[in-house]
Amino acid sequence: MKKIAIFLLLLCCTQYLAAQKMTDDQVIEYVMQAQEKGISQQDIAKDLLRRGVSMDQVNRIKRKMANQEKNGQGSTLTEKMRTRTAPKKNGALKLQSDKEAVKNMKTPEREAMMGDEIGFLFPDSTMLYMMEESKKKEIFGHRIFQNKDVAFEASYNLPTPTNYKLGPGDEVAIDIWGASQSTIQETISPDGNIYIENLGPVHLSGLTVSQANTYLKKQLGQIYSSINGDTPESNIRLSLAQNRTIQVHVMGEVENPGTYTMSSFATIFNALYQAGGVSEVGTMREIKVFRNDKLVATYDVYDFILNGNSDMGIRLEDNDVVTVDAYKNLVSVTGHVKRPMYYEMLDNESLAQLLKYAGGFAGNAYKEDVRLIRNGKREREIYTLNAAEQQEFILADGDSVSVDSIMPTFANMVEVRGAVYRPGQFQMNGRVNTVKQLVECAGGLKDDAFMNRAILNRRNPNNTMENLAINLENLMNGTDEDIALRKNDVLLIPSLFDMREIQTVTIFGEVAFPGTYEYVDNMSVEDFIVNAGGLTEAASSAKVDVARRVKNSWATSASDTISHTYSFALSDGLVVEGEPNFTLKPFDEVYVRKSPGYFKQENVTVEGEVLFGGTYALEKKNQRLSELVANAGGLTPQANIKGARLERTMTDEEKLRLESSIETAIQMAENKKDSVAIRRNMMSQTTYPVGIELDKALDKPGSDADITLRSGDRLIIPQYSNTVKVNGEVMYANTVAYKGGKGLKYYINQAGGYNDNAKKSNVYIVYMNGTVAKPGVCQRSVVEPGCEIVVPTKEERERMTAAQVLSLSSTAASLATVVLALINVFR
């Protein structure tokens, strides 16, 4: 038994998880299969709810369908995939569609179809009725006692009502004014008396304020003669200075039944508020007050909430008992009313009274019939009630009323779209009954209207769609007979611009604003150049080209010709050579060339030991180093000609190559930190050194050593330096004095020699002119003044652990065994 219980538990959990994961596509598939099997809409809806399909999911599918209908994606699908037969006896509608076609439908199409199916399966009332069980009941009027911001407490600042009945604990004030003036303030004792000097005890308990004033006037007349008589000279008035407290017992179906201490001004609402309000099963229509074991009042809270009746009849008195019984008839109303929720109804109240409690119908409610579901003896019963029946139909406990909405279609609408001045929806009446009248009501046709063929979309009585082609030109001038409209007709009048590709022309090259522009009829080359801001200073007037695309819609064979090119020459902004009266056509492309005789100034800089350092303009394309030095007045006596170096600015192409190198280096980097450092260091480079030998360039101008300059070059000629730097993996990096004839070993020793990390075979020398040499490899490997000797670091090698050594030994032994076996085989 234990195993069976565990199995059933796992099965339930599996079914629950499956229900939770039911997607929109699965819902669609289920609905279609169930309909094909003839299952009723009620059973389909219930089964979907059991499978975990929530109201939110239904609404989501509905919204998707509505959006696709709005965007024109749903109507053709509905017509293509869905046709229905007449209802069968069991109320199901058979879906006549190709299963394979439905399976191949795209997701948006399936969702659009499901949206329509949801509307069929779940009309407003049915869905709301089935979903109400999963919602917490909200009963009208209960929330008013649960709102912490609303306190039903007795007011202590009200004037004393004349019918207020005095009792022990009340503090009264008796004012006497006129010929005699006095104020008496006393508290009514437990035996119901107050004490008045010279008069003695006066019994006031049980009297109303009005009765007490009359009684006191008679009693005080015994000591104040001016109070009585036909023309009294003094007046008397009793008022309540401080009211007493009372105890009220609140019992029955309230949230917190018990005994509460309250003001003597308290009413039934004050008592209900103190008790936390009516419980979910408590009545608000027949709240009873018992006094001395007798029923003295019955209250209907709805009368106060809905009608504003603040007259509560009697005030509560000490030891009154307020009882709240269980409700008799609780009825729900859902759908398109202003306050859909549960309402408590009296035995003789009708459906019309319920709708009044619910605030009446909403603006989009279907008022002709209201659906009511009642729990019968064995099954549920449904009633459809018109306006007259609603007045007489008496409600019972458990009734569920639902109000549907009107259909989202129009009863008197026609629409026009396209090339009219006021497209949109119009009322179909005596003024708009034909196509011509609809066009005139829409402001008439635009100049770009395509008159030869307009389309009238129409839905036939059998719910199929029909297109009617209309020659608007003949219809508008009376040659063709006008066409009568039907409701929901849509007239589409295409525009000439909508029926062709957007026509443009493009201009490239030396104009102020190159780009693509809208095509204009009869535009010349000169007009287009003016529209593009005119020619730039670099533009060539000798050659302006126009490329025209080749098009032949009647061609039956391929052609090698891609475009036709026309060339023009300009003078003072006008065409002087080329095809006469030439105008541009749609999609032409104009190319304004740069003049081969136009150059911007290109500058280079020379710094250091020259007579006139600074910026110089290149005079020709192949200007060389020697010419720049000559323009700068030559070298000074302190110049270190062998240490001269050249820095060159990167071009865009070189920057692209650098970025490619960066990506390659990043891919080879072992960790992210390395890649970030590589990117940061390399991307900061905007220049690079060019190794030069200025002494050879000056000795032999025009030789290979006399390199050609480029815009942005910076020539630096330093002073003579007689030191040598030694850096890298040496014992002590140092800068030492240069000694002619000394080799590499001498300068390494001057830095203390190599350290343990030095890679001696890769030592190199960096000269002041930017060249690099490796001793013993390059011809120029001698140490020169101002150079730098760099000793690189050895690559770190990971030492093998004992486990790695053991693993390698084992692998080698296995490999040896295999090799030996192979040798024995091939002997």
Side-chain angles (χ1 to χ4, degrees):
M1 290 298 292
K2 184 176 181 181
K3 291 182 178 179
I4 295 175
I6 294 173
F7 173 76
L8 291 176
L9 178 61
L10 290 174
L11 181 61
C12 292
C13 291
T14 303
Q15 292 176 345
Y16 172 78
L17 291 174
Q20 293 297 312
K21 296 181 180 178
M22 196 170 187
T23 63
D24 292 353
D25 285 342
Q26 290 171 337
V27 173
I28 295 167
E29 195 71 31
Y30 170 79
V31 170
M32 296 172 59
Q33 292 177 359
Q35 283 196 324
E36 290 174 352
K37 294 177 182 178
I39 300 175
S40 68
Q41 59 178 355
Q42 189 81 358
D43 291 339
I44 295 174
K46 290 179 180 178
D47 198 23
L48 282 176
L49 293 174
R50 285 195 297 268
R51 289 169 178 259
V53 179
S54 64
M55 189 64 179
D56 291 338
Q57 187 174 8
V58 172
N59 289 331
R60 182 176 68 249
I61 297 175
K62 278 188 171 183
R63 286 194 299 270
K64 287 182 180 179
M65 186 275 292
N67 290 334
Q68 289 166 350
E69 289 286 350
K70 182 179 180 181
N71 296 329
Q73 300 176 11
S75 58
T76 54
L77 168 74
T78 304
E79 294 305 320
K80 183 168 62 175
M81 301 305 301
R82 301 179 60 253
T83 55
R84 299 181 186 273
T85 61
K88 294 185 176 181
K89 291 182 180 180
N90 61 357
L93 297 178
K94 182 172 177 58
L95 183 69
Q96 297 177 338
S97 61
D98 186 359
K99 289 184 181 179
E100 293 300 321
V102 172
K103 289 181 180 179
N104 294 330
M105 288 167 62
K106 296 180 180 179
T107 300
E109 296 175 331
R110 293 161 65 103
E111 290 174 348
M113 182 173 179
M114 180 58 191
D116 200 4
E117 294 301 313
I118 289 295
F120 154 66
L121 284 175
F122 303 137
D124 297 335
S125 57
T126 306
M127 170 53 78
L128 289 169
Y129 173 74
M130 288 189 296
M131 296 300 293
E132 69 182 23
E133 295 179 0
S134 64
K135 295 182 179 179
K136 183 180 179 180
K137 290 182 179 179
E138 183 178 359
I139 304 173
F140 179 72
H142 282 211
R143 189 188 299 178
I144 194 170
F145 296 106
Q146 300 167 359
N147 190 347
K148 296 181 180 180
D149 297 329
V150 178
F152 287 98
E153 296 179 353
S155 176
Y156 295 92
N157 298 321
L158 294 174
T160 306
T162 57
N163 62 349
Y164 177 79
K165 188 176 292 188
L166 299 173
D170 283 338
E171 183 179 349
V172 296
I174 304 171
D175 295 318
I176 302 171
W177 71 98
S180 300
Q181 294 189 4
S182 180
T183 298
I184 302 170
Q185 190 161 336
E186 292 286 337
T187 302
I188 300 176
S189 64
D191 57 3
N193 298 324
I194 64 172
Y195 181 82
I196 298 177
E197 190 177 358
N198 299 324
L199 183 62
V202 177
H203 189 80
L204 295 180
S205 180
L207 301 178
T208 66
V209 172
S210 178
Q211 291 171 343
N213 273 297
T214 303
Y215 178 68
L216 283 173
K217 188 175 182 180
K218 181 186 296 184
Q219 295 296 320
L220 289 174
Q222 300 177 26
I223 57 176
Y224 294 100
S225 59
S226 59
I227 293 178
N228 294 321
D230 296 333
T231 56
E233 297 177 359
S234 297
N235 296 301
I236 181 173
R237 182 183 64 188
L238 177 143
S239 60
L240 191 64
Q242 181 68 44
N243 65 307
R244 66 186 184 276
T245 59
I246 60 174
Q247 285 192 329
V248 177
H249 311 284
V250 185
M251 312 302 290
E253 298 298 336
V254 292
E255 294 293 338
N256 302 301
T259 300
Y260 295 90
T261 300
M262 309 178 71
S263 165
S264 56
F265 285 165
T267 65
I268 182 66
F269 276 103
N270 307 133
L272 290 176
Y273 176 76
Q274 291 291 333
V278 177
S279 69
E280 188 173 342
V281 297
T283 180
M284 296 186 70
R285 307 300 305 276
E286 293 182 344
I287 299 174
K288 300 174 183 178
V289 179
F290 289 89
R291 185 172 297 158
N292 299 324
D293 298 331
K294 294 182 179 180
L295 178 65
V296 294
T298 302
Y299 294 98
D300 185 352
V301 180
Y302 278 21
D303 191 31
F304 172 73
I305 297 175
L306 295 171
N307 303 324
N309 185 5
S310 59
D311 183 10
M312 304 311 297
I314 63 172
R315 287 178 178 79
L316 297 177
E317 295 186 4
D318 197 29
N319 289 319
D320 277 356
V321 179
V322 178
T323 62
V324 179
D325 296 332
Y327 67 80
K328 292 183 179 179
N329 302 310
L330 193 62
V331 179
S332 70
V333 57
T334 55
H336 297 271
V337 291
K338 295 176 182 176
R339 284 193 299 267
M341 60 178 68
Y342 282 83
Y343 291 86
E344 184 184 350
M345 306 299 293
L346 299 178
D347 288 336
N348 59 346
E349 289 186 318
S350 66
L351 174 57
Q353 188 64 41
L354 171 65
L355 296 175
K356 182 179 179 181
Y357 291 159
F361 292 108
N364 61 340
Y366 180 66
K367 304 175 183 178
E368 298 300 321
D369 286 311
V370 172
R371 186 178 289 106
L372 183 143
I373 297 176
R374 172 167 291 178
N375 297 319
K377 293 182 179 180
R378 296 186 60 183
E379 296 179 306
R380 288 175 175 165
E381 301 170 354
I382 190 166
Y383 299 87
T384 305
L385 307 169
N386 58 29
E389 293 169 333
Q390 294 167 20
Q391 300 291 334
E392 301 175 356
F393 194 91
I394 303 301
L395 297 175
D397 185 37
D399 283 353
S400 177
V401 178
S402 58
V403 179
D404 292 344
S405 66
I406 60 174
M407 292 186 295
T409 56
F410 290 91
N412 62 339
M413 184 272 292
V414 288
E415 184 177 358
V416 58
R417 302 174 186 171
V420 290
Y421 286 100
R422 294 179 56 246
Q425 298 172 337
F426 293 88
Q427 175 186 353
M428 203 177 92
N429 55 21
R431 188 161 62 98
V432 178
N433 278 320
T434 66
V435 171
K436 184 176 181 179
Q437 292 172 347
L438 176 60
V439 172
E440 291 173 348
C441 192
L445 296 169
K446 289 185 176 180
D447 295 336
D448 60 325
F450 182 66
M451 305 282 287
N452 294 338
R453 193 177 189 88
I455 303 298
L456 183 66
N457 291 325
R458 169 170 291 175
R459 186 173 294 277
N460 293 320
N462 61 358
N463 212 30
T464 61
M465 292 296 295
E466 178 183 7
N467 283 342
L468 298 179
I470 302 173
N471 188 319
L472 271 182
E473 185 174 5
N474 293 342
L475 187 144
M476 297 303 290
N477 61 29
T479 305
D480 290 349
E481 184 179 355
D482 202 357
I483 299 175
L485 294 172
R486 299 177 188 171
K487 72 171 185 176
N488 297 321
D489 279 354
V490 178
L491 178 63
L492 175 61
I493 303 174
S495 167
L496 293 174
F497 298 115
D498 295 338
M499 298 177 63
R500 67 185 183 189
E501 186 179 354
I502 298 175
Q503 296 180 335
T504 60
V505 285
T506 306
I507 189 167
F508 301 94
E510 298 301 325
V511 291
F513 306 107
T516 300
Y517 292 78
E518 183 180 357
Y519 170 75
V520 179
D521 289 336
N522 297 321
M523 178 186 287
S524 65
V525 176
E526 303 98 305
D527 298 336
F528 193 18
I529 291 175
V530 170
N531 285 336
L535 300 173
T536 64
E537 188 180 17
S540 170
S541 298
K543 184 175 177 59
V544 175
D545 296 331
V546 177
R548 178 163 294 169
R549 65 173 56 175
V550 175
K551 55 183 178 179
N552 182 6
S553 58
W554 296 95
T556 57
S557 60
S559 173
D560 294 335
T561 303
I562 298 176
S563 65
H564 295 298
T565 301
Y566 305 87
S567 296
F568 302 89
L570 304 177
S571 177
D572 297 329
L574 299 176
V575 172
V576 295
E577 291 183 10
E579 186 174 330
N581 302 322
F582 182 87
T583 57
L584 297 176
K585 291 186 177 180
F587 311 110
D588 279 356
E589 294 183 352
V590 179
Y591 304 87
V592 180
R593 311 296 179 182
K594 182 180 179 181
S595 173
Y598 177 84
F599 297 99
K600 292 182 179 179
Q601 295 90 336
E602 296 183 357
N603 298 322
V604 293
T605 304
V606 59
E607 300 175 6
E609 297 304 315
V610 291
L611 292 178
F612 303 102
T615 301
Y616 289 83
L618 295 176
E619 298 175 353
K620 55 184 179 180
K621 288 186 176 181
N622 57 349
Q623 188 166 340
R624 297 177 182 266
L625 276 173
S626 59
E627 294 173 304
L628 176 60
V629 173
N631 289 339
L635 303 176
T636 66
Q638 295 79 23
N640 182 2
I641 190 169
K642 288 189 175 182
R645 67 182 187 274
L646 183 69
E647 289 185 0
R648 178 155 287 175
T649 303
M650 287 186 180
T651 62
D652 292 339
E653 182 181 353
E654 288 169 340
K655 289 179 181 178
L656 288 175
R657 288 203 300 267
L658 176 62
E659 290 179 4
S660 178
S661 301
I662 291 173
E663 295 302 325
T664 303
I666 289 173
Q667 292 175 5
M668 297 176 64
E670 295 182 356
N671 55 57
K672 284 190 173 182
K673 290 184 178 179
D674 292 342
S675 65
V676 171
I678 290 170
R679 183 182 294 276
R680 182 174 61 250
N681 294 333
M682 298 185 71
M683 288 300 292
S684 62
Q685 298 179 12
T686 58
T687 61
Y688 59 92
V690 179
I692 62 172
E693 294 177 305
L694 186 59
D695 54 341
K696 293 181 180 180
L698 296 179
D699 288 342
K700 293 182 179 181
S703 64
D704 291 340
D706 194 10
I707 67 173
T708 303
L709 296 174
R710 199 170 76 183
S711 177
D713 282 354
R714 180 169 170 250
L715 176 62
I716 304 166
I717 303 174
Q719 288 184 350
Y720 178 77
S721 174
N722 63 342
T723 60
V724 175
K725 292 181 181 180
V726 183
N727 280 326
E729 299 299 332
V730 291
M731 299 301 294
Y732 181 76
N734 200 2
T735 300
V736 298
Y738 170 76
K739 285 192 175 183
K742 296 295 183 181
L744 177 68
K745 185 176 180 180
Y746 168 80
Y747 293 101
I748 296 293
N749 289 336
Q750 293 296 310
Y754 299 109
N755 64 23
D756 293 339
N757 294 327
K759 192 169 186 178
K760 303 176 184 178
S761 60
N762 281 2
V763 176
Y764 58 91
I765 303 173
V766 180
Y767 296 96
M768 291 185 69
N769 64 353
T771 59
V772 180
K774 188 175 182 181
V777 177
C778 300
Q779 292 182 355
R780 184 181 179 182
S781 59
V782 297
V783 179
E784 295 181 355
C787 71
E788 181 179 359
I789 300 170
V790 181
V791 181
T793 306
K794 290 180 181 178
E795 295 180 0
E796 293 185 3
R797 296 182 180 178
E798 294 184 2
R799 295 185 178 181
M800 297 180 65
T801 62
Q804 290 174 330
V805 172
L806 183 60
S807 175
L808 183 61
S809 301
S810 176
T811 303
S814 301
L815 183 61
T817 305
V818 174
V819 172
L820 182 61
L822 290 173
I823 292 173
N824 291 331
V825 170
F826 289 103
R827 276 183 178 176

